[in-house]
Amino acid sequence: MFERPPTGQSAVIVHLAFGLDEYDEADREFHELVTSAGGEVLAHVGGSRRTPDPRYFVGGGKVDEIAELVVEHGAELVVFNHDLSPSQERNLEKRLNARVLDRAGLILDIFAARARSHEGKLQVELAQLQHLATRLVRGWSHLERQKGGIGLRGPGETQLETDRRLLNERIKMLRQRLEKVSARREQGRSARRRARTPIVSLVGYTNAGKSTLFNRLTGEDIYAADQLFATLDPTLRRMDVPVGEPLIVADTVGFIRDLPHELVAAFKATLEETREADVLLHVIDAADVERRAHAREVNNVLAEIGAGEVAQIEVLNKVDLIEGESPRIETDAHGRPLRVWLSAASGDGVDELRAVLSDFCNPDMIAGVLRVPAANGRLRSALFELGVVDEESYDDDGASRLNVTASQGDLERIVAQAGLAFDDVLVERRAARIAGSGVASSAAPSTYTP
């Protein structure tokens, strides 16, 4: 008979190196994960191995070391920064007499604590049950109703079989509910496609500042905190831009290295917002020394969910924490934006990001000078009513010279209604707004290495 030990908050944490160059950063992140889950770290066990031990994941000597620390500190929990097999988890619990949790279980626990919406709770529960399904093996044998021997054979199934059947039924029901959620989301996306409303999806490593930036762009006040996975539930809000129709901005769950596959599968409905976006804003913590590694992890997950080919603009956030850095826009040789440096906390550079998104999501926008004859005051009034006039001056003959930034289609329509030819009215095409936005624009990065 095997009873799993009770769980708790006080923990001994275990993180081994398997030839990884980023051990220190992964170790720091592991500490943050445990504390984000509400755990109290009593002791840390490190070390290195070539390959995991098939029975305990760690070697026999390391198991003894962990057991001594559990007894010494009175720890209730041992957390591994690795994925353990069900048999390894059971063997360790028997040997250590403490509840054992692997990395996937730890992240699932954090997600369960942070989910707020009905959809988010369904997604997390599905991921937890899928993870638990692999661990229903001889853990509750004392509850079996089938017994050997004369007079002890029961008609029912074992408790293990009952648990597995009930669990599979619950998983099936959750999937059906999430399919309905996915269908509703698809209806919303279809409506936005019919309305030709561009979608901007925020993606990035957890705690890179996505939710803070989302609040700046939309004027919302969704929860944002300096912690891992502060926000789980997807949020879509409208964002006004300098020119053109408003955009829809979607805030998504943050990514992390070795994100459990159960979570990627369970959050499929949420992540579809990312795959269907017109452009991804990849938010990167510019002050993080591991930003390149984190960016790679995000791109790996994007490729896994089928969003690897979606257009992407990098947003280097937290420039206020880097000495000598300031908000700016980096462009390629053709003037297309590649990166926007800004501070979501202070708001510096956010307006420039709006201008970049306005240009990107409205590709037929033009900036130019229209010469409107003095006799055609109706055309002049229509342009001012449309709100596209940036500046006005006059020629010697009284004709208006209007600096405008607007959709070429809108301008052609208004000019045609006035009985004029657009090519005759348009006398000059100005540079794109990005070049004159007031924020430095460069064709080459300064301190960032992609």
Side-chain angles (χ1 to χ4, degrees):
M1 183 176 71
F2 169 48
E3 281 276 11
R4 295 196 71 189
T7 188
Q9 301 297 106
S10 57
V12 173
I13 63 175
V14 182
H15 180 203
L16 304 183
F18 290 91
L20 296 178
D21 296 331
E22 302 167 354
Y23 178 84
D24 291 340
E25 167 62 19
D27 200 53
R28 180 189 63 78
E29 183 179 272
F30 179 38
H31 274 79
E32 290 185 30
L33 281 172
V34 175
T35 55
S36 293
E40 178 189 3
V41 178
L42 303 178
H44 175 277
V45 177
S48 61
R49 286 184 65 90
R50 290 179 180 271
T51 58
D53 179 80
R55 186 174 185 184
Y56 293 113
F57 190 86
V58 297
K62 191 66 68 175
V63 174
D64 293 337
E65 179 185 345
I66 297 171
E68 292 174 2
L69 289 172
V70 169
V71 174
E72 178 184 347
H73 295 281
E76 304 164 301
L77 188 66
V78 178
V79 186
F80 281 71
N81 193 28
H82 310 278
D83 291 332
L84 303 177
S85 69
S87 62
Q88 288 170 338
E89 193 172 294
R90 291 193 305 275
N91 293 337
L92 285 166
E93 288 186 344
K94 289 179 182 178
R95 182 81 175 268
L96 301 175
N97 195 29
R99 182 66 68 101
V100 173
L101 193 65
D102 67 356
R103 179 181 175 86
L106 175 63
I107 295 177
L108 287 170
D109 185 79
I110 296 173
F111 272 54
R114 303 279 165 78
R116 293 291 178 268
S117 70
H118 176 65
E119 177 189 355
K121 291 176 181 178
L122 288 177
Q123 290 169 325
V124 173
E125 183 182 355
L126 175 60
Q128 286 180 312
L129 292 180
Q130 289 173 328
H131 185 70
L132 178 63
T134 63
R135 280 146 171 79
L136 286 180
V137 182
R138 299 186 62 81
W140 294 266
S141 58
H142 62 292
L143 296 176
E144 290 181 359
R145 295 202 301 264
Q146 287 182 348
K147 302 290 184 181
I150 298 175
L152 293 178
R153 297 185 181 91
E157 57 193 349
T158 65
Q159 183 65 38
L160 173 61
E161 290 168 341
T162 301
D163 290 340
R164 182 175 287 120
R165 176 173 53 80
L166 294 175
L167 184 145
N168 288 334
E169 290 175 357
R170 180 67 177 174
I171 288 177
K172 180 180 179 181
M173 184 269 292
L174 289 173
R175 283 176 172 162
Q176 290 173 344
R177 289 186 179 180
L178 285 173
E179 285 176 1
K180 294 180 180 179
V181 171
S182 180
R184 287 197 298 269
R185 285 191 173 278
E186 180 56 33
Q187 289 177 351
R189 282 192 293 269
S190 297
R192 291 192 292 270
R193 283 194 292 266
R194 287 193 299 270
R196 297 184 179 179
T197 305
I199 307 295
V200 178
S201 183
L202 297 177
V203 299
Y205 209 76
T206 182
N207 207 27
K210 295 186 305 301
S211 295
T212 303
L213 180 59
F214 179 87
N215 288 338
R216 284 284 182 185
L217 290 172
T218 63
E220 289 292 319
D221 188 26
I222 66 170
Y223 180 69
D226 184 16
Q227 60 182 200
L228 303 182
F229 302 117
T231 305
L232 289 186
D233 301 314
T235 307
L236 282 77
R237 293 293 186 272
R238 192 180 75 167
M239 180 187 78
D240 294 324
V241 292
V243 177
E245 296 297 321
L247 313 178
I248 297 296
V249 181
D251 188 19
T252 60
V253 63
F255 299 150
I256 197 169
R257 72 181 78 216
D258 300 324
L259 191 67
H261 290 289
E262 295 93 343
L263 279 174
V264 175
F267 277 72
K268 179 181 178 182
T270 299
L271 297 175
E272 281 177 354
E273 297 291 351
T274 298
R275 194 172 62 231
E276 298 293 329
D278 294 276
V279 59
L280 303 179
L281 289 187
H282 184 170
V283 183
I284 300 172
D285 184 350
D288 189 348
V289 295
E290 296 293 330
R291 60 177 181 256
R292 282 179 287 174
H294 291 172
R296 286 196 299 270
E297 292 290 340
V298 171
N299 287 324
N300 289 340
V301 176
L302 291 176
E304 183 178 349
I305 64 176
E309 301 302 319
V310 179
Q312 186 180 123
I313 297 175
E314 292 181 347
V315 177
L316 278 296
N317 188 25
K318 306 184 184 181
V319 296
D320 52 317
L321 303 181
I322 307 175
E323 185 176 355
E325 284 290 357
S326 60
R328 68 180 187 277
I329 299 167
E330 290 180 13
T331 59
D332 61 15
H334 302 285
R336 292 186 293 262
L338 293 174
R339 302 181 188 93
V340 179
W341 294 69
L342 54 77
S343 170
S346 68
D348 294 337
V350 173
D351 286 342
E352 285 64 39
L353 177 59
R354 291 178 190 273
V356 167
L357 291 174
S358 179
D359 286 342
F360 189 93
C361 294
N362 296 282
D364 65 338
M365 286 288 176
I366 66 168
V369 178
L370 300 184
R371 187 178 187 277
V372 180
N376 208 319
R378 180 177 295 181
L379 173 58
R380 176 182 175 278
S381 298
L383 291 169
F384 271 98
E385 187 176 338
L386 189 61
V388 299
V389 179
D390 301 322
E391 185 180 350
E392 182 180 23
S393 60
Y394 297 93
D395 288 345
D396 294 339
D397 60 358
S400 297
R401 297 180 68 89
L402 304 176
N403 285 5
V404 297
T405 307
S407 162
Q408 182 166 336
D410 287 342
L411 292 177
E412 289 178 347
R413 175 177 51 82
I414 292 176
V415 170
Q417 289 174 351
L420 300 173
F422 181 71
D423 290 338
D424 293 338
V425 176
L426 181 66
V427 296
E428 179 184 340
R429 284 184 181 267
R430 293 189 286 107
R433 284 195 315 281
I434 293 176
S437 63
V439 167
S441 177
S442 63
S446 56
T447 59
Y448 179 74
T449 304

